[in-house]
Each structure stands twice: as C-alpha cells, then as structure tokens.
Amino acid sequence: MAATILDGKALGARIDERTAQRVTTFVDEHGRRPCLTVVLVGEDPASQVYVRNKIRRCGQTGIESREHRLGVDVGEDELLRLIRALNHADDVDGILVQLPLPDHIDAALVLEAIAAEKDVDGFHPDNAGRLASGMPRFVPCTPRGAMHLIHEVHENLQGLHAVVVGRSTIVGRPMAQLLLMADATVTIAHSKTKDLTSTCLDADILIAAVGRPKIISGGMVKPGATVIDVGINRIDDGGKGRLVGDVDYDQVMGHAGAITPVPGGVGPMTIACLLENTVDAAIMRMA
Ligand code: GUN
C-alpha cells in the first residue's frame, strides 16, 4: 500500500493561522508588531530563495521583517558589529543569520554573538545546551517542524525506535534531543556508522538529514515506518534543475507508512516554526 503523504504546506498553513492570531493579540497588548531581522551575506541563490520565503511568510502572519544584505566580502568584524547593534535594538525580537556564511567568516563565532534571547534559530550554544538539558527555550526550526509532522502520525512515541541519519548541530543533534524528550528510543547514525542499512531498517521513525540526494533507498526502510526527509538537494536532472530529498521518494513510497515529500514536507514547516519562535521571543522579551 502506498504511504500517507505528510503535507507540510497544509500543516504549516494551520500553524501560521495560529501565529497570526498570536500576533494580533501581541499588537493589542504592546502597540507594535513582533519583528524578525534577517541577515544575508553574499549571493548564494538557495539562501536568497529561503530568505525571500521567510520574509513573505512574516508578511502573511503580520510579523514585521527587516533584511540586512551584506556583500560576500564583508569582514567578520563588520558582521559582528551589526549583530551587536541588533542585539541592543529594542524593537528587534528575533535575529537570524542565514547560513552558510562565506569561508572567511567563523560561523560559530557569529552564531554565539547573537543574544540568546533573540536567537530564534536556536543555534546559540546556550539554547543548544538548554535543549540538551531538557529545558528548551528556542528549538531549531527544522527539527521542531519535523516533530510536528511526526506527531501527525504518532501521538505517543513511547516504545518507538527513531533513527536520525546525520549529526549536524542544525538538524541531527537537536532532532535527537526532541525525540528523546518525547520518550522515543533514539539512534544517531552518520557517515562513520558501520551498517547504515541495518540501522535504518530497525527504525519505526526514520529521519534523513544528511544532505545527499536519495541516500535512503527503499531497501533501508522497515515496512510501515514513518519517514521524514529533511534533505533539500538541487540536482541537474537532464539540464533542468530539480529539488530532491535525501530519500528516494518513489522507492520508499512503497515501503513507508507515511512520508514527507520534497518540496512541500519539512521545508514549509521550518518557516512556520521560525515564525512561532519569533512570536515566542517577542512575548518573552516583553514579559
Ligand atoms: N540555512 C539552511 N537552513 C537554515 C536555517 O534553518 N537557519 C539559518 N539561519 N540558515 C539556514
């Protein structure tokens, strides 16, 4: 039987409706809109698309957005100065520096410079540490969005084996922490894992967050498993560029119980969660 398709666009739209209501309440109470500031360095085409989508969705939910575009050659010092100014700006609730940054800039240093209470990406070590300690403040948006999708299928994760493929600080690690907090039994697999296929085959919930096109094949998926595809890979499909995930969708469709498409699965959920985090930040700052 074909898998249920987990529609991140529809679920993201439902979350955005709730966010828009929270924005209205915030405006009534504080006389201003929550404000997200996005910093984009350089001309990376994918980053430009992501930033454009984030700004558009801010507009749709009533969140004020501001954008700072810096040239690819901007010095680390100048970027850090901008972040410090945004940290001190009373009317800025959330700060997001779009990744990846150019090689001459130390991304870890930049992320740590963002005030933890404005870190709506949840990448600051304080926020990562809080999540790892089971006391989350801002949770990274992609894993938070993936959890919403998983809960569409599984109300309760107790007794389920979740396998996260990928150990990045942006997705893999926080994803594992969230699954643990939800009482799943969690395995993190990565490039040095000995037998990836048998590890994946044991998963009731399989999260692919590697960044390699179609690395998860049909033969790696237990029948009926829930498969969450975090990958967004641009491939040259006979000259016409196309987005594919880390999961071989057509193959896995015949094995999984539920699956997220690419695009239209995790991607729209990431932005919905960014907007939720921004309203959370605004409310926390005004408390
Ligand atoms: N680049 C790819 N995904 C993300 C994300 O979630 N946040 C930021 N800041 N940059 C990204």
Side-chain angles (χ1 to χ4, degrees):
M1 214 174 74
T4 302
I5 296 166
L6 295 171
D7 184 346
K9 220 171 151 187
L11 182 55
R14 292 212 298 279
I15 292 173
D16 282 1
E17 269 175 37
R18 200 171 60 209
T19 297
Q21 285 163 10
R22 294 175 70 214
V23 169
T24 304
T25 306
F26 184 89
V27 173
D28 287 347
E29 285 177 5
H30 302 289
R32 68 173 184 89
R33 293 189 285 152
C35 173
L36 173 68
T37 295
V38 179
V39 179
L40 175 60
V41 180
E43 311 275 326
D44 180 68
S47 290
Q48 287 180 340
V49 172
Y50 295 147
V51 166
R52 202 183 315 134
N53 287 339
K54 287 170 185 174
I55 300 243
R56 179 174 47 81
R57 294 266 294 275
C58 279
Q60 288 168 354
T61 48
I63 293 172
E64 181 184 344
S65 61
R66 297 181 192 163
E67 198 179 337
H68 290 264
R69 283 180 176 248
L70 302 174
V72 70
D73 295 327
V74 72
E76 194 176 85
D77 281 0
E78 191 180 336
L79 177 56
L80 290 172
R81 267 199 301 279
L82 170 62
I83 289 172
R84 280 187 215 111
L86 296 172
N87 286 345
H88 287 109
D90 252 354
D91 54 353
V92 171
D93 299 297
I95 303 169
L96 180 149
V97 177
Q98 186 66 29
L99 302 175
L101 288 168
D103 287 345
H104 68 278
I105 294 178
D106 181 344
L109 194 71
V110 169
L111 296 178
E112 197 169 355
I114 296 172
E117 68 272 17
K118 296 189 178 186
D119 169 40
V120 287
D121 254 332
F123 296 161
H124 189 287
D126 283 6
N127 285 319
R130 290 189 68 102
L131 177 60
S133 311
M135 299 186 299
R137 180 168 44 195
F138 295 114
V139 172
C141 308
T142 297
R144 187 173 170 179
M147 284 304 286
H148 280 303
L149 289 164
I150 290 167
H151 282 303
E152 288 287 287
V153 186
H154 308 278
E155 203 177 319
N156 187 338
L157 272 56
Q158 261 180 41
L160 297 180
H161 184 199
V163 174
V164 182
V165 187
R167 56 176 158 177
S168 70
T169 48
I170 293 180
V171 183
R173 287 167 202 242
M175 186 77 241
Q177 298 294 349
L178 289 175
L179 289 160
L180 264 182
M181 282 178 65
D183 292 333
T185 302
V186 181
T187 300
I188 306 182
H190 48 79
S191 54
K192 305 288 188 292
T193 296
K194 221 175 184 176
D195 189 347
L196 185 61
T197 296
S198 68
T199 304
C200 290
L201 266 173
D202 195 52
D204 303 301
I205 302 170
L206 181 62
I207 294 107
V210 190
R212 294 204 11 220
K214 300 189 181 185
I215 185 175
I216 304 294
S217 62
M220 297 166 85
V221 175
K222 176 157 126 178
T226 298
V227 178
I228 305 292
D229 190 352
V230 177
I232 303 178
N233 309 292
R234 186 166 293 280
I235 60 163
D236 178 11
D237 188 14
K240 47 180 172 50
R242 192 162 71 89
L243 290 183
V244 297
D246 291 352
V247 174
D248 188 325
Y249 186 81
D250 294 334
Q251 274 190 21
V252 170
M253 177 52 108
H255 297 249
I259 186 169
T260 60
V262 176
V266 174
M269 294 298 297
T270 296
I271 302 185
C273 293
L274 170 67
L275 305 182
E276 282 192 303
N277 279 353
T278 302
V279 179
D280 289 347
I283 292 170
M284 271 188 245
R285 289 185 64 246
M286 300 309 283

